[in-house]
């Protein structure tokens, strides 16, 4: 059971770190799209994915100490 807590902590931290990488890439892509006059919205979609990854990492860290998974709805 202790291994699962450590795994949730590590996976949450990695998710937060990778979300920052995706956010940086998406902002750079969006800036390049706007300067180049492209009509695509890949940068905005990447920012949305980064927000989802960040929230998933936060939830993973927040629920690592909970004994029952029903308690996740209280967050």
């Amino acid at each position: 059971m202790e291994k699962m807590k450590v795994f949730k902590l590590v996976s949450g931290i990695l998710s937060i770190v990778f979300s920052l990488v995706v956010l940086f890439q998406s902002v750079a892509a969006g800036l390049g799209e706007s300067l180049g006059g492209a009509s695509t919205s890949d940068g905005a979609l990447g920012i949305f994915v980064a927000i989802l990854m960040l929230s998933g990492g936060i939830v993973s860290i927040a629920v690592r100490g909970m004994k029952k998974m029903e308690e996740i709805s209280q967050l």
Side-chain angles (χ1 to χ4, degrees):
M1 192 63 159
E2 187 66 32
K3 289 183 183 180
M4 194 65 174
K5 287 182 182 180
V6 173
F7 175 75
K8 284 184 179 181
L9 178 65
V10 171
S11 66
I13 291 172
L14 286 176
S15 179
I16 291 171
V17 169
F18 288 138
S19 72
L20 295 175
V21 171
V22 170
L23 181 66
F24 177 72
Q25 283 182 326
S26 299
V27 168
L31 185 63
E33 289 170 357
S34 66
L35 291 177
S39 62
T40 61
S41 61
D42 296 333
L45 184 62
I47 291 172
F48 179 69
V49 170
I51 291 171
L52 290 178
M53 287 176 64
L54 180 65
S55 63
I58 291 170
V59 168
S60 178
I61 291 173
V63 301
R64 69 185 159 93
M66 293 186 179
K67 292 178 177 59
K68 297 182 198 173
M69 289 310 290
E70 294 99 27
E71 296 175 3
I72 200 168
S73 63
Q74 294 176 357
L75 292 175

